[in-house]
Amino acid sequence: MYIDRINSVIDYIESHLTDEISYRELAAMLAMSVYELRRIFAFMVGAPLSDYIRQRRLTSAVFDLQSSDATITAIAEKYRYDSPSSFSRAFREMQGISPSEARQGGVKLVSYPRATFTLTLSGAQNIDFRLVRRGEMRLCGYTGISSSGSDTCCEEVWEHYYDSGCHDKLDESGALAEYDGDELGGVISEFAAYTNYEDSSVSCTLGALVTPDRIPNGEYDCIVIPAALWGVFEIVGAEPRQINDAYFKTVAGWLESSVYERDPDICNLEAFPADAGCDTDSLRWQIYYPLRKKRDNKA
């Protein structure tokens, strides 16, 4: 069933290449957030969602150039480019030649085929998890927006969080000391919350999880995280490919076969240790996934 839904997303993209494509609408088709969609899509296809859509549009533009008399300006507008020059730059980057040269016969062109997914049976893998019910929490730090065109979701927000000195100020204030909240304890100290923003972007809040009486001094962006049931998954490796893989296994593996579904009204969290500066390839961190019982499951 999950494979069918993924293919429905691909079908939707194909039938809307000349339209504005809403990431939020695609995510809703899979019952996940935009952040998770971008992670899982990159894992399954091997390219960011924005790249896939761009390459599919440029591939369709090739056939328009060779099979119609439409002007380059008209084709650029058709495939959502702001100007013929921006279309020409993207086209040349993909094809190595200009759109006008592509209209000539006998030239070598590149096609980026649509993705198709089929069910492949493989050995089952254990997925370790805990269920944790937590009351309302507050996250204070820095909030930034990751646009739909970002190759790696929220990486630029993380960079600004460190470069701006926000991390250092939180650390100096003691807010990043090991969190002492029972199930969220251990060596975890730094948290990230991801929510949908506008239509196709992600709002990322990075910082310290604090109680109302311990809000750090200084100017910080703070968000309130509602009480929720959380599925907690320990992950090894924080390279982008490893993060994408972790979300795929969590959402397409554990969640699909459990009695739970994602609670769409609550952000998902990531939790990192105090020594997050170590080798990211072996870093141990956690995904906190907001859960509710599936609507058709009364167990």
Side-chain angles (χ1 to χ4, degrees), residues 151-191:
D151 288 343
T152 304
C153 193
C154 294
E155 182 176 354
E156 71 278 26
V157 182
W158 276 101
E159 290 176 354
H160 190 274
Y161 168 66
Y162 284 104
D163 293 344
S164 67
C166 183
H167 165 83
D168 292 339
K169 287 193 295 183
L170 285 171
D171 194 23
E172 292 167 2
S173 73
L176 289 180
E178 293 181 3
Y179 186 76
D180 57 4
D182 50 79
E183 297 93 343
L184 295 181
V187 297
I188 296 301
S189 70
E190 203 146 35
F191 289 80

Side-chain angles (χ1 to χ4, degrees), residues 139-144 166 205-206 219-223:
L139 181 63
C140 292
Y142 168 74
T143 297
C166 183
T205 299
L206 316 174
E219 295 184 1
Y220 297 101
D221 299 318
C222 294
I223 64 170

Side-chain angles (χ1 to χ4, degrees), residues 188-204:
I188 296 301
S189 70
E190 203 146 35
F191 289 80
Y194 304 100
T195 56
N196 293 344
Y197 181 78
E198 293 184 343
D199 193 58
S200 295
S201 301
V202 175
S203 176
C204 319

